Amino acid sequence: MKSILEKFSLEGKVAIVTGASRGLGQGIAVGLASAGADIVGVGSGDMPETEKLITDLGRKFHAIKANLISQEPIPRIVEETIKEFGKVDILVNNAGIIRREDAIDFSEENWDDVLNINLKTTFFLSQAVAKQFIAQKSGGKIINIASMLSYQGGIRVPSYTASKSAVMGITKSMANEWAGHNINVNAIAPGYMATDNTAALRSDEARNKSIEERIPAARWGTPEDLAGAAVYLASDAASYVHGFTLAVDGGWLAR
């Protein structure tokens, strides 16, 4: 029988992390590598910084350049992962975008772009990787990145709110159908994180102050704050956790 610390180990595992070039995706990828996983990083550009952080840990890193606003790259991502590592054990659907515009003026383009990458690609990449898990007869872990706006409405981000509410919903739906294949599907809902997506908010002195005052932990989160939750949900320690969205938000939703 494995000890509890052994159950948290990802030694010998292979993880695909989308949006791994910076921010939350980079933090999650490095966290998984720290626990022993080799990483396939998917991003729209090169990822030299992520690669160095992971190889410095003694883990392997393979980069796949892909624009996930369409589903066209999905088969290639799975095929290239299998060619490089022979299997896949973990998928983290982190890639996402946000568009800010008053709901009264919100454009169809801003609606479609956000829903395509945040929701549609998340579902169909999960489907493709789940098929690979089933073919391997190995089971596996899928971790979706939801949001506080999976629970709340937000302001000036209607397509983001719609996409992240739906991510929480499909996390439950996929878990219901795939748990019997030993596939765990769960999600993480980050709170206010210091990333590129929130740069405009943090540069607005009044808005930044009001946000920090509203967070019980009294600070913005960092990509590293998500690493522990990701390792947990990717590990054997979470083998009986299905369809749950774990908030990592400094207490925002509890307030």
Side-chain angles (χ1 to χ4, degrees), residues 38-195:
D38 293 321
I39 306 296
V40 174
V42 182
S44 57
D46 295 328
M47 291 169 270
E49 184 180 49
T50 305
E51 180 171 12
K52 184 176 189 309
L53 288 168
I54 288 167
T55 55
D56 283 352
L57 292 168
R59 308 315 312 172
K60 296 177 183 174
F61 180 80
H62 179 72
I64 297 177
K65 194 177 291 189
N67 183 353
L68 295 179
I69 207 160
S70 83
Q71 289 70 60
E72 183 272 332
I74 288 174
R76 176 170 61 86
I77 292 167
V78 178
E79 289 162 10
E80 200 167 320
T81 300
I82 302 310
K83 181 179 178 183
E84 188 71 20
F85 291 111
K87 64 169 185 168
V88 59
D89 302 290
I90 301 155
L91 168 66
V92 181
N93 285 304
N94 166 75
I97 58 173
I98 191 167
R99 299 280 170 80
R100 301 180 190 278
E101 187 178 13
D102 290 344
I104 199 72
D105 298 316
F106 208 80
S107 70
E108 185 175 2
E109 180 183 8
N110 281 344
W111 182 271
D112 289 344
D113 287 352
V114 172
L115 267 291
N116 279 337
I117 188 166
N118 291 11
L119 179 62
K120 190 173 181 180
T121 294
T122 289
F123 175 76
F124 284 105
L125 182 54
S126 296
Q127 181 191 71
V129 171
K131 287 178 179 178
Q132 180 62 32
F133 289 157
I134 292 168
Q136 291 173 181
K137 296 181 169 52
S138 63
K141 312 286 185 177
I142 297 174
I143 302 169
N144 299 320
I145 302 303
S147 169
M148 290 183 299
L149 297 189
S150 301
Y151 300 89
Q152 300 176 323
I155 300 169
R156 303 189 73 244
V157 287
S159 60
Y160 186 83
T161 301
S163 70
K164 293 302 185 177
S165 296
V167 164
M168 186 163 73
I170 63 168
T171 295
K172 297 173 185 176
S173 177
M174 292 187 288
N176 287 342
E177 295 197 40
W178 299 343
H181 294 286
N182 196 29
I183 298 170
N184 298 78
V185 186
N186 293 290
I188 298 171
Y192 277 99
M193 295 282 164
T195 66

Side-chain angles (χ1 to χ4, degrees), residues 189-247:
Y192 277 99
M193 295 282 164
T195 66
D196 291 350
N197 274 353
T198 60
L201 293 178
R202 286 181 287 116
S203 65
D204 181 329
E205 188 175 338
R207 187 84 170 95
N208 181 72
K209 184 172 183 290
S210 71
I211 288 169
E212 285 190 342
E213 289 175 346
R214 169 72 166 69
I215 301 170
R219 68 172 177 86
W220 289 74
T222 68
E224 291 76 20
D225 287 320
L226 294 188
V231 169
Y232 167 61
L233 292 176
S235 74
D236 289 344
S239 62
Y240 201 58
V241 180
H242 293 275
F244 187 70
T245 297
L246 173 62

